[in-house]
Amino acid sequence: MKTNIITSIFLSLGISISAMAFNANTDDNSANKGFAVVELFTSEGCSSCPPADKLLAKIQEEHAGKPVYILAFHVDYWNHQGWRDVFSEKDFTKRQYQYASWLQLETVYTPQVVVNGRHELIGSQEETLRRALNIELNSAAPARLNAEAQIEGGKLKLTYQASNAARNTVLQVALVQKVAHTMVKRGENAGRLLPHVQIVRRIQSFPAATTGNVAGNLPEGFNPAEWEVITFLQNTQNGSIVAADRPVIDGRPLTADGRAR
């Protein structure tokens, strides 16, 4: 009888310890859960781009509250076709060409989507995009990033912590306008009212450290009620994105001029 009691006690202890270990592992995995940075290279001058813009809006709505970070980069090489995209920047075109180098592509095109710097596809291919998202969201993130943001003196100031980031990693800080509409008057989309989501207005790169503070100027027209900040860690050797975060500015709602309420 004593032997049975002792055996039961050890079994109970073993089950309890196993459960504790399982819960600890589960917590670790959830803390290091997967994520997806979805970059769309698009243009208002491209007739093939509106379906990709629409797909990204759909993906954004479906993944609200999840670690899916959408960035729409408007490139400038369509501007000579009769319509200048008001959101286009040469730096965004350079970023797309950098991906062509990283991913060993022969050329660039629109609409193009890159997920976590690893998966490349035509921006309107919904099934292919969903497969890439599924892979990344169900894979443990290689690193971690936590950032806090505040507006001070007309600048965006970030404090961040990063872990497990390899060498040759940079902190990318994107300032994103959430929604906009443009009535296109010329070019391939002449006469169309084009809706846009998650428009990158500026992206800045900083050498990544375990902890750090960085600051950058705010673009003209910045409104914290209509914009957001997306930060991510990116390997400069292969373009792989290893962690991402969406810091809340000051952790509090802000007025239109950036002051905390």
Side-chain angles (χ1 to χ4, degrees):
M1 178 67 69
K2 289 183 179 179
T3 301
N4 291 338
I5 293 173
I6 293 171
T7 301
S8 298
I9 291 172
F10 275 106
L11 284 173
S12 298
L13 285 172
I15 292 172
S16 299
I17 293 171
S18 297
M20 290 171 64
F22 175 79
N23 289 335
N25 290 335
T26 301
D27 290 341
D28 287 344
N29 289 335
S30 62
N32 212 29
K33 60 187 176 182
F35 69 97
V37 175
V38 181
E39 298 178 65
L40 169 66
F41 294 93
T42 185
S43 172
E44 292 179 342
C46 163
S47 61
S48 300
C49 288
D53 292 312
K54 184 177 180 180
L55 174 58
L56 255 66
K58 179 180 179 181
I59 293 295
Q60 181 187 35
E61 183 177 357
E62 290 178 357
H63 291 81
K66 298 179 182 179
V68 175
Y69 309 93
I70 293 176
L71 301 169
F73 291 94
H74 288 237
V75 297
D76 69 346
Y77 51 82
W78 278 93
N79 289 353
H80 67 281
Q81 297 287 346
W83 177 255
R84 185 188 180 281
D85 188 329
V86 296
F87 300 113
S88 64
E89 294 288 347
K90 185 176 293 186
D91 285 346
F92 302 159
T93 300
K94 289 180 180 178
R95 181 167 180 79
Q96 189 181 24
Y97 272 98
Q98 179 62 72
Y99 270 123
S101 176
W102 279 328
L103 300 172
Q104 300 182 359
L105 304 175
E106 293 184 359
T107 187
V108 298
Y109 63 91
T110 54
Q112 181 186 37
V113 160
V114 179
V115 180
N116 279 359
R118 291 188 284 272
H119 310 268
E120 180 271 337
L121 58 128
I122 296 173
S124 54
Q125 291 182 334
E126 183 170 351
E127 290 186 8
T128 307
L129 175 55
R130 290 188 183 279
R131 282 197 296 269
L133 287 173
N134 185 60
I135 290 170
E136 295 301 321
L137 290 175
N138 288 286
S139 301
R144 299 183 187 181
L145 175 65
N146 293 293
E148 296 180 356
Q150 63 179 350
I151 295 174
E152 184 178 322
K155 291 182 179 291
L156 176 72
K157 296 188 176 182
L158 283 174
T159 300
Y160 72 92
Q161 294 180 328
S163 62
N164 297 330
R167 291 183 178 181
N168 304 311
T169 298
V170 293
L171 173 71
Q172 302 278 20
V173 180
L175 300 180
V176 181
Q177 185 175 343
K178 296 178 183 179
V179 179
H181 295 79
T182 301
M183 175 58 74
V184 179
K185 298 179 180 179
R186 293 178 297 278
E188 292 189 1
N189 290 312
R192 301 182 66 178
L193 179 64
L194 300 183
H196 304 303
V197 298
Q198 296 300 103
I199 312 147
V200 178
R201 302 300 300 275
R202 179 172 294 172
I203 185 167
Q204 294 177 274
S205 178
F206 305 90
T210 304
T211 60
N213 297 280
V214 298
N217 294 324
L218 294 171
E220 183 178 353
F222 178 84
N223 182 345
E226 299 174 357
W227 294 47
E228 68 179 5
V229 180
I230 293 177
T231 60
F232 54 98
L233 299 174
Q234 186 163 33
N235 187 301
T236 59
Q237 298 299 303
N238 57 26
S240 176
I241 297 174
V242 296
D245 192 23
R246 182 185 287 109
V248 176
I249 300 175
D250 259 349
R252 294 172 289 174
L254 301 178
T255 61
D257 61 359
R259 294 177 298 173
R261 290 176 183 170

